[in-house]
Amino acid sequence: MNDSAPESDGGKPLGTRRGGGDPATRGRTTIADGVVEKIAGLAARDVAGVHTMGSGLARTLGAVRDRVPGGGRSATATRGVKAEVGEVQTALDLEIVVDYGVSIADVARDVRENVIAAVERMTSLEVVEVNIAVSDVKLPDEEDEDEESEPRLQ
């Protein structure tokens, strides 16, 4: 009998793992494009100067989809975001509308930093690029398109 390790009833030392190796290496984790898109969309919206995400058409369609039962809020989170996810890396394309008066270069830099930090922290994927397209500037006296596209009952 080995005095260095206590034995269980089966004769194996206690504390020995079955299957061997680190449990983290026993299987594969895959992350869907939509998961990365949600994380990136929410992280981008958190940046000061980002008014909304997506082009005018995407926002209009999204507003209609939000009013349809089962349309869900998840579509809002991914509006204006496209992700390509591989096994260890991801690339993102974002379309944003910025508030009038902000530095677009500064907002784009802040969006990139926030999106990369959030996606890499939550998924462990390496973000290889974040492409940002500024599709519009929200003027102070403009109504939001979401409000304009709201159906009115008579």
Side-chain angles (χ1 to χ4, degrees):
M1 179 162 184
N2 185 351
D3 292 333
S4 63
E7 292 188 13
S8 68
D9 293 335
K12 284 188 171 186
L14 292 176
T16 303
R17 293 187 197 151
R18 295 183 182 193
D22 180 12
T25 63
R26 297 186 206 173
R28 186 171 65 194
T29 302
T30 57
I31 300 171
D33 293 1
V35 171
V36 175
E37 290 168 355
K38 280 184 185 180
I39 294 167
L42 293 172
R45 283 174 179 79
D46 282 345
V47 174
V50 174
H51 179 73
T52 191
M53 303 285 295
S55 66
L57 178 60
R59 291 192 313 270
T60 301
L61 292 175
V64 171
R65 186 175 33 238
D66 288 347
R67 289 179 187 83
V68 174
R73 284 277 168 206
S74 64
T76 303
T78 61
R79 187 182 311 147
V81 183
K82 178 68 180 131
E84 292 181 25
V85 180
E87 288 188 30
V88 296
Q89 295 178 325
T90 186
L92 295 153
D93 293 322
L94 280 68
E95 188 171 1
I96 65 174
V97 175
V98 298
D99 292 320
Y100 177 80
V102 300
S103 165
I104 293 174
D106 290 347
V107 170
R109 183 195 63 236
D110 293 347
V111 166
R112 271 191 192 89
E113 289 175 357
N114 211 37
V115 166
I116 290 170
V119 170
E120 289 185 346
R121 179 180 55 82
M122 293 182 70
T123 67
S124 295
L125 293 168
E126 177 191 5
V127 178
V128 293
E129 67 180 2
V130 177
N131 299 311
I132 298 172
V134 179
S135 62
D136 202 357
V137 173
K138 167 69 170 72
L139 300 176
D141 57 345
E142 280 182 329
E143 284 188 44
D144 285 337
E145 287 185 24
D146 289 350
E147 293 170 9
E148 290 175 359
S149 66
E150 202 167 308
R152 295 201 166 52
L153 299 176
Q154 295 178 347

Coordinates of all heavy atoms in Angstrom, one line a residue, residues 3-85:
D3 N 1.7 4.8 1.0 CA 1.3 5.7 2.2 C 1.1 7.2 1.7 O 0.6 7.9 2.5 CB 2.4 5.7 3.2 CG 2.5 4.3 3.9 OD1 1.4 3.6 3.9 OD2 3.6 4.0 4.4
S4 N 1.6 7.5 0.5 CA 1.5 8.9 0.1 C 0.1 9.3 -0.4 O -0.2 10.5 -0.4 CB 2.5 9.2 -1.0 OG 2.3 8.5 -2.1
A5 N -0.7 8.4 -0.9 CA -2.0 8.8 -1.4 C -3.1 7.9 -0.8 O -2.9 6.7 -0.9 CB -2.1 8.7 -2.9
P6 N -4.1 8.5 -0.2 CA -5.2 7.6 0.4 C -5.9 6.9 -0.7 O -6.0 7.4 -1.9 CB -6.1 8.6 1.1 CG -5.7 9.9 0.7 CD -4.3 9.9 0.1
E7 N -6.4 5.7 -0.5 CA -7.0 4.9 -1.5 C -8.5 5.0 -1.3 O -9.0 5.0 -0.2 CB -6.5 3.5 -1.5 CG -5.1 3.4 -1.9 CD -4.7 1.9 -2.1 OE1 -5.6 1.0 -2.1 OE2 -3.5 1.7 -2.3
S8 N -9.3 4.9 -2.4 CA -10.7 4.7 -2.3 C -11.0 3.3 -2.3 O -10.1 2.4 -2.3 CB -11.4 5.4 -3.5 OG -11.0 4.7 -4.7
D9 N -12.3 2.9 -2.3 CA -12.7 1.5 -2.2 C -12.3 0.8 -3.5 O -12.0 -0.4 -3.4 CB -14.2 1.4 -2.0 CG -14.7 1.9 -0.7 OD1 -13.9 1.9 0.2 OD2 -15.9 2.3 -0.6
G10 N -12.2 1.4 -4.6 CA -11.8 0.8 -5.8 C -10.3 0.6 -6.0 O -9.9 0.0 -7.0
G11 N -9.5 1.0 -5.1 CA -8.1 0.8 -5.2 C -7.4 1.9 -5.9 O -6.2 1.9 -5.9
K12 N -8.1 2.9 -6.4 CA -7.5 4.0 -7.1 C -7.2 5.1 -6.1 O -8.0 5.3 -5.2 CB -8.4 4.6 -8.2 CG -8.4 3.8 -9.4 CD -9.2 4.6 -10.5 CE -9.0 3.9 -11.8 NZ -9.6 4.7 -12.9
P13 N -6.1 5.8 -6.2 CA -5.9 6.9 -5.2 C -7.0 8.0 -5.4 O -7.5 8.2 -6.5 CB -4.5 7.5 -5.7 CG -3.9 6.4 -6.5 CD -5.0 5.6 -7.1
L14 N -7.4 8.5 -4.3 CA -8.4 9.6 -4.3 C -7.8 10.8 -5.0 O -6.6 11.1 -4.9 CB -8.9 10.0 -2.9 CG -9.7 8.9 -2.1 CD1 -9.9 9.4 -0.7 CD2 -11.0 8.6 -2.9
G15 N -8.7 11.6 -5.6 CA -8.2 12.8 -6.3 C -7.7 12.6 -7.7 O -7.3 13.6 -8.3
T16 N -7.7 11.4 -8.2 CA -7.2 11.2 -9.5 C -8.4 11.4 -10.5 O -9.5 10.9 -10.3 CB -6.8 9.7 -9.7 OG1 -5.7 9.4 -8.8 CG2 -6.3 9.4 -11.1
R17 N -8.1 12.2 -11.6 CA -9.2 12.5 -12.6 C -9.3 11.3 -13.5 O -8.3 10.7 -14.0 CB -8.8 13.7 -13.4 CG -8.8 14.9 -12.5 CD -8.6 16.1 -13.5 NE -8.3 17.3 -12.7 CZ -7.5 18.2 -13.1 NH1 -7.0 18.2 -14.3 NH2 -7.2 19.2 -12.3
R18 N -10.5 11.0 -13.9 CA -10.7 10.0 -15.0 C -10.6 10.7 -16.3 O -10.9 11.9 -16.5 CB -12.1 9.4 -14.9 CG -12.2 8.7 -13.6 CD -13.6 8.0 -13.5 NE -13.6 7.3 -12.3 CZ -14.6 6.4 -12.0 NH1 -15.5 6.2 -12.8 NH2 -14.6 5.8 -10.8
G19 N -10.1 10.0 -17.3 CA -10.0 10.6 -18.7 C -8.7 11.3 -18.9 O -8.3 11.5 -20.0
G20 N -8.0 11.7 -17.8 CA -6.7 12.4 -17.9 C -6.8 13.8 -18.6 O -7.7 14.0 -19.4
G21 N -5.9 14.6 -18.3 CA -5.8 15.9 -18.9 C -6.7 17.0 -18.3 O -7.5 16.7 -17.5
D22 N -6.5 18.1 -18.8 CA -7.2 19.3 -18.3 C -8.7 19.2 -18.8 O -8.9 19.1 -20.0 CB -6.5 20.6 -18.8 CG -7.2 21.8 -18.3 OD1 -8.1 21.8 -17.5 OD2 -6.8 22.9 -18.9
P23 N -9.7 19.4 -17.9 CA -11.1 19.4 -18.4 C -11.3 20.4 -19.5 O -12.2 20.2 -20.3 CB -11.9 19.7 -17.1 CG -11.0 19.3 -16.0 CD -9.6 19.5 -16.5
A24 N -10.6 21.5 -19.5 CA -10.9 22.6 -20.5 C -10.5 22.1 -21.9 O -11.0 22.7 -22.9 CB -10.1 23.8 -20.1
T25 N -9.7 21.0 -22.0 CA -9.3 20.6 -23.4 C -10.2 19.4 -23.8 O -10.0 18.8 -24.9 CB -7.9 20.1 -23.3 OG1 -7.7 19.0 -22.4 CG2 -6.9 21.2 -23.0
R26 N -11.2 19.0 -23.1 CA -12.1 17.9 -23.4 C -13.3 18.4 -24.1 O -14.4 18.3 -23.6 CB -12.5 17.1 -22.2 CG -11.3 16.5 -21.4 CD -11.8 15.7 -20.3 NE -10.8 15.6 -19.3 CZ -11.1 15.0 -18.1 NH1 -12.3 14.5 -17.8 NH2 -10.2 14.9 -17.2
G27 N -13.2 18.8 -25.3 CA -14.3 19.3 -26.1 C -14.1 20.6 -26.8 O -13.0 21.2 -26.6
R28 N -15.0 21.0 -27.5 CA -14.8 22.3 -28.3 C -16.0 23.2 -28.0 O -17.2 22.8 -27.9 CB -14.8 22.0 -29.8 CG -14.4 23.1 -30.6 CD -14.2 22.7 -32.0 NE -15.4 22.2 -32.6 CZ -15.4 21.5 -33.7 NH1 -14.3 21.3 -34.4 NH2 -16.5 21.0 -34.2
T29 N -15.8 24.5 -27.9 CA -16.8 25.5 -27.8 C -16.9 26.3 -29.1 O -15.9 26.7 -29.6 CB -16.5 26.5 -26.6 OG1 -16.3 25.7 -25.4 CG2 -17.6 27.5 -26.4
T30 N -18.1 26.4 -29.6 CA -18.3 27.2 -30.8 C -19.3 28.3 -30.4 O -20.2 28.2 -29.6 CB -19.0 26.4 -31.9 OG1 -20.2 25.8 -31.5 CG2 -18.1 25.3 -32.4
I31 N -19.0 29.5 -31.0 CA -19.8 30.7 -30.7 C -20.4 31.2 -32.0 O -19.7 31.4 -33.0 CB -18.9 31.8 -30.1 CG1 -18.3 31.3 -28.8 CG2 -19.7 33.1 -29.9 CD1 -17.2 32.2 -28.2
A32 N -21.7 31.3 -32.0 CA -22.5 31.7 -33.2 C -22.2 33.2 -33.6 O -21.9 34.0 -32.7 CB -24.0 31.5 -33.0
D33 N -22.3 33.5 -34.8 CA -22.1 34.8 -35.3 C -23.0 35.8 -34.5 O -22.6 36.9 -34.2 CB -22.4 35.0 -36.8 CG -21.4 34.2 -37.7 OD1 -20.4 33.6 -37.1 OD2 -21.6 34.3 -38.9
G34 N -24.3 35.4 -34.3 CA -25.2 36.2 -33.7 C -24.9 36.6 -32.2 O -25.2 37.7 -31.8
V35 N -24.1 35.7 -31.6 CA -23.7 36.0 -30.2 C -22.7 37.1 -30.2 O -22.8 38.1 -29.5 CB -23.1 34.7 -29.5 CG1 -22.4 35.1 -28.2 CG2 -24.2 33.7 -29.4
V36 N -21.7 37.0 -31.1 CA -20.7 38.1 -31.3 C -21.3 39.4 -31.7 O -21.0 40.5 -31.2 CB -19.6 37.6 -32.2 CG1 -18.6 38.8 -32.5 CG2 -18.9 36.4 -31.6
E37 N -22.3 39.3 -32.6 CA -23.0 40.5 -33.1 C -23.7 41.2 -32.0 O -23.7 42.5 -31.9 CB -24.0 40.1 -34.2 CG -23.3 39.8 -35.5 CD -24.2 39.1 -36.6 OE1 -25.4 38.9 -36.3 OE2 -23.7 38.9 -37.7
K38 N -24.4 40.5 -31.1 CA -25.1 41.1 -29.9 C -24.1 41.8 -29.0 O -24.3 42.9 -28.6 CB -25.9 40.0 -29.1 CG -27.2 39.7 -29.7 CD -27.9 38.7 -28.8 CE -29.2 38.2 -29.5 NZ -29.9 37.3 -28.6
I39 N -23.0 41.1 -28.7 CA -22.0 41.7 -27.8 C -21.5 43.0 -28.4 O -21.4 44.0 -27.7 CB -20.9 40.7 -27.5 CG1 -21.4 39.5 -26.7 CG2 -19.7 41.3 -26.8 CD1 -20.5 38.3 -26.7
A40 N -21.1 42.9 -29.7 CA -20.5 44.1 -30.3 C -21.5 45.2 -30.4 O -21.2 46.4 -30.2 CB -20.0 43.7 -31.7
G41 N -22.8 44.9 -30.8 CA -23.8 45.9 -30.9 C -24.0 46.7 -29.6 O -24.1 47.9 -29.5
L42 N -24.1 45.9 -28.5 CA -24.3 46.5 -27.2 C -23.1 47.4 -26.8 O -23.3 48.5 -26.2 CB -24.7 45.5 -26.1 CG -26.0 44.8 -26.4 CD1 -26.2 43.6 -25.4 CD2 -27.2 45.7 -26.3
A43 N -21.9 46.9 -27.0 CA -20.7 47.6 -26.7 C -20.6 48.9 -27.5 O -20.2 49.9 -26.9 CB -19.5 46.7 -26.9
A44 N -21.0 48.8 -28.8 CA -20.9 50.0 -29.6 C -21.9 51.1 -29.1 O -21.6 52.3 -29.1 CB -21.1 49.7 -31.1
R45 N -23.1 50.7 -28.8 CA -24.1 51.6 -28.3 C -23.8 52.3 -27.0 O -24.3 53.4 -26.7 CB -25.5 50.9 -28.1 CG -26.2 50.6 -29.4 CD -27.4 49.7 -29.2 NE -28.1 49.5 -30.4 CZ -27.8 48.5 -31.3 NH1 -26.7 47.8 -31.1 NH2 -28.5 48.4 -32.4
D46 N -22.9 51.7 -26.2 CA -22.4 52.3 -24.9 C -21.5 53.5 -25.1 O -21.2 54.2 -24.2 CB -21.7 51.2 -24.1 CG -22.7 50.3 -23.4 OD1 -23.9 50.5 -23.4 OD2 -22.2 49.2 -22.9
V47 N -21.0 53.7 -26.3 CA -20.0 54.8 -26.6 C -20.8 56.1 -26.8 O -21.7 56.2 -27.5 CB -19.2 54.4 -27.8 CG1 -18.3 55.6 -28.1 CG2 -18.4 53.2 -27.5
A48 N -20.3 57.1 -26.0 CA -20.9 58.5 -26.2 C -20.6 58.9 -27.6 O -19.5 58.8 -28.1 CB -20.2 59.4 -25.2
G49 N -21.7 59.5 -28.2 CA -21.6 60.0 -29.6 C -22.2 59.1 -30.6 O -22.5 59.5 -31.7
V50 N -22.4 57.8 -30.2 CA -23.2 56.9 -31.1 C -24.6 57.1 -30.9 O -25.1 56.8 -29.8 CB -22.8 55.4 -30.8 CG1 -23.6 54.5 -31.7 CG2 -21.3 55.2 -31.1
H51 N -25.3 57.6 -31.9 CA -26.8 57.9 -31.7 C -27.5 56.6 -31.9 O -28.4 56.3 -31.1 CB -27.2 58.9 -32.7 CG -28.7 59.2 -32.6 ND1 -29.2 59.9 -31.6 CD2 -29.7 58.8 -33.4 CE1 -30.5 60.0 -31.7 NE2 -30.9 59.3 -32.8
T52 N -27.2 55.8 -32.9 CA -27.9 54.5 -33.2 C -27.0 53.7 -34.1 O -26.0 54.2 -34.5 CB -29.3 54.7 -33.7 OG1 -30.0 53.5 -33.7 CG2 -29.3 55.3 -35.1
M53 N -27.5 52.5 -34.4 CA -26.8 51.6 -35.2 C -27.6 51.3 -36.5 O -28.8 51.2 -36.4 CB -26.5 50.3 -34.5 CG -25.7 50.4 -33.2 SD -24.0 50.7 -33.4 CE -23.5 49.2 -34.2
G54 N -26.9 51.1 -37.6 CA -27.6 50.7 -38.8 C -27.9 51.8 -39.7 O -27.9 53.0 -39.3
S55 N -28.2 51.5 -41.0 CA -28.6 52.5 -41.9 C -30.1 52.9 -41.7 O -30.8 52.2 -40.9 CB -28.5 51.9 -43.4 OG -29.4 50.9 -43.6
G56 N -30.5 53.9 -42.4 CA -31.9 54.3 -42.2 C -32.9 53.2 -42.5 O -33.9 53.0 -41.8
L57 N -32.6 52.4 -43.6 CA -33.5 51.3 -44.0 C -33.5 50.2 -42.9 O -34.6 49.7 -42.5 CB -33.1 50.7 -45.3 CG -33.9 49.5 -45.8 CD1 -35.4 49.9 -46.0 CD2 -33.4 49.0 -47.1
A58 N -32.3 49.9 -42.4 CA -32.2 48.9 -41.4 C -33.0 49.3 -40.1 O -33.6 48.5 -39.4 CB -30.8 48.6 -41.0
R59 N -32.9 50.6 -39.8 CA -33.6 51.1 -38.6 C -35.1 51.0 -38.8 O -35.8 50.7 -37.9 CB -33.1 52.5 -38.2 CG -31.7 52.5 -37.7 CD -31.3 53.8 -37.1 NE -31.6 55.0 -37.9 CZ -30.9 55.6 -38.8 NH1 -29.7 55.1 -39.1 NH2 -31.3 56.6 -39.4
T60 N -35.5 51.4 -40.0 CA -37.0 51.4 -40.3 C -37.5 50.0 -40.2 O -38.5 49.7 -39.6 CB -37.3 52.0 -41.6 OG1 -36.8 53.3 -41.6 CG2 -38.7 52.0 -41.9
L61 N -36.8 49.0 -40.8 CA -37.2 47.6 -40.8 C -37.2 47.1 -39.4 O -38.1 46.3 -39.0 CB -36.4 46.8 -41.7 CG -36.5 47.0 -43.2 CD1 -35.5 46.2 -44.0 CD2 -38.0 46.8 -43.7
G62 N -36.2 47.5 -38.6 CA -36.1 47.0 -37.2 C -37.2 47.6 -36.4 O -37.7 46.9 -35.5
A63 N -37.6 48.8 -36.6 CA -38.7 49.4 -35.9 C -40.0 48.6 -36.1 O -40.8 48.4 -35.2 CB -38.9 50.9 -36.2
V64 N -40.2 48.2 -37.4 CA -41.4 47.5 -37.7 C -41.3 46.1 -37.1 O -42.3 45.6 -36.5 CB -41.5 47.4 -39.3 CG1 -42.6 46.4 -39.7 CG2 -41.8 48.7 -39.9
R65 N -40.2 45.4 -37.2 CA -40.0 44.1 -36.6 C -40.2 44.1 -35.1 O -40.7 43.2 -34.5 CB -38.6 43.6 -37.0 CG -38.3 42.2 -36.5 CD -37.0 41.6 -36.9 NE -35.9 42.6 -37.0 CZ -35.2 42.9 -38.1 NH1 -35.4 42.2 -39.2 NH2 -34.2 43.8 -38.1
D66 N -39.8 45.2 -34.4 CA -40.0 45.3 -33.0 C -41.4 45.3 -32.6 O -41.8 44.9 -31.5 CB -39.3 46.6 -32.4 CG -37.8 46.4 -32.4 OD1 -37.2 45.3 -32.6 OD2 -37.1 47.5 -32.3
R67 N -42.3 45.8 -33.5 CA -43.7 45.9 -33.2 C -44.5 44.6 -33.4 O -45.6 44.5 -33.0 CB -44.3 47.1 -33.9 CG -43.8 48.4 -33.4 CD -44.4 49.6 -34.2 NE -43.9 50.8 -33.8 CZ -42.7 51.3 -34.3 NH1 -42.0 50.6 -35.1 NH2 -42.2 52.4 -33.8
V68 N -43.8 43.7 -34.2 CA -44.5 42.4 -34.5 C -44.3 41.5 -33.3 O -43.2 41.3 -32.8 CB -43.8 41.8 -35.8 CG1 -44.4 40.5 -36.1 CG2 -44.1 42.8 -37.0
P69 N -45.4 40.8 -32.9 CA -45.2 39.9 -31.8 C -44.2 38.8 -32.2 O -44.3 38.3 -33.3 CB -46.6 39.3 -31.6 CG -47.5 40.3 -32.2 CD -46.8 41.0 -33.3
G70 N -43.2 38.6 -31.3 CA -42.2 37.6 -31.6 C -41.0 38.2 -32.4 O -40.1 37.5 -32.7
G71 N -41.1 39.4 -32.8 CA -40.1 40.1 -33.5 C -38.8 40.2 -32.7 O -37.7 40.1 -33.2
G72 N -39.0 40.4 -31.4 CA -37.9 40.3 -30.4 C -37.0 41.5 -30.4 O -36.9 42.2 -31.3
R73 N -36.4 41.7 -29.2 CA -35.5 42.8 -29.0 C -34.1 42.4 -29.5 O -33.2 43.2 -29.6 CB -35.4 43.2 -27.5 CG -36.6 44.0 -27.1 CD -36.3 45.4 -27.5 NE -37.5 46.2 -27.4 CZ -37.7 47.3 -28.0 NH1 -36.8 47.8 -28.9 NH2 -38.8 48.0 -27.9
S74 N -33.9 41.1 -29.7 CA -32.5 40.6 -30.1 C -32.2 41.2 -31.5 O -31.0 41.4 -31.7 CB -32.4 39.1 -30.1 OG -33.3 38.6 -31.1
A75 N -33.1 41.4 -32.3 CA -32.8 42.0 -33.6 C -32.3 43.4 -33.4 O -31.5 43.9 -34.2 CB -34.1 42.0 -34.5
T76 N -32.8 44.2 -32.4 CA -32.3 45.5 -32.2 C -30.9 45.5 -31.8 O -30.1 46.4 -32.2 CB -33.2 46.2 -31.1 OG1 -34.6 46.2 -31.5 CG2 -32.8 47.6 -30.8
A77 N -30.5 44.5 -31.0 CA -29.1 44.4 -30.5 C -28.1 44.2 -31.6 O -27.0 44.6 -31.5 CB -29.0 43.4 -29.4
T78 N -28.6 43.5 -32.7 CA -27.6 43.2 -33.7 C -27.8 44.1 -34.9 O -27.0 44.0 -35.9 CB -27.8 41.7 -34.2 OG1 -29.2 41.6 -34.7 CG2 -27.6 40.7 -33.1
R79 N -28.7 45.0 -34.9 CA -28.9 46.0 -36.0 C -27.6 46.7 -36.3 O -27.0 47.3 -35.4 CB -30.0 46.9 -35.7 CG -30.4 47.8 -36.9 CD -31.5 48.8 -36.6 NE -32.6 48.1 -35.9 CZ -33.4 48.8 -35.0 NH1 -33.1 50.0 -34.7 NH2 -34.4 48.1 -34.5
G80 N -27.1 46.7 -37.5 CA -25.9 47.5 -37.9 C -24.6 46.8 -37.6 O -23.6 47.3 -37.7
V81 N -24.7 45.5 -37.3 CA -23.5 44.7 -36.9 C -23.5 43.4 -37.8 O -24.5 42.7 -37.9 CB -23.5 44.3 -35.4 CG1 -22.2 43.6 -35.1 CG2 -23.6 45.5 -34.6
K82 N -22.4 43.1 -38.3 CA -22.1 41.9 -39.1 C -20.8 41.3 -38.6 O -19.8 41.9 -38.5 CB -22.1 42.1 -40.6 CG -21.8 40.9 -41.4 CD -23.0 39.9 -41.3 CE -22.7 38.7 -42.2 NZ -23.0 37.4 -41.5
A83 N -20.9 40.0 -38.1 CA -19.7 39.3 -37.6 C -19.4 38.1 -38.5 O -20.3 37.4 -39.0 CB -19.9 38.9 -36.2
E84 N -18.1 37.8 -38.7 CA -17.6 36.6 -39.3 C -16.8 35.9 -38.2 O -15.8 36.5 -37.8 CB -16.8 36.9 -40.5 CG -17.6 37.4 -41.7 CD -16.7 37.6 -42.9 OE1 -15.7 37.0 -43.0 OE2 -17.1 38.5 -43.7
V85 N -17.3 34.8 -37.7 CA -16.6 34.1 -36.6 C -15.9 32.8 -37.1 O -16.6 32.0 -37.7 CB -17.6 33.8 -35.5 CG1 -17.0 33.1 -34.3 CG2 -18.3 35.1 -35.0

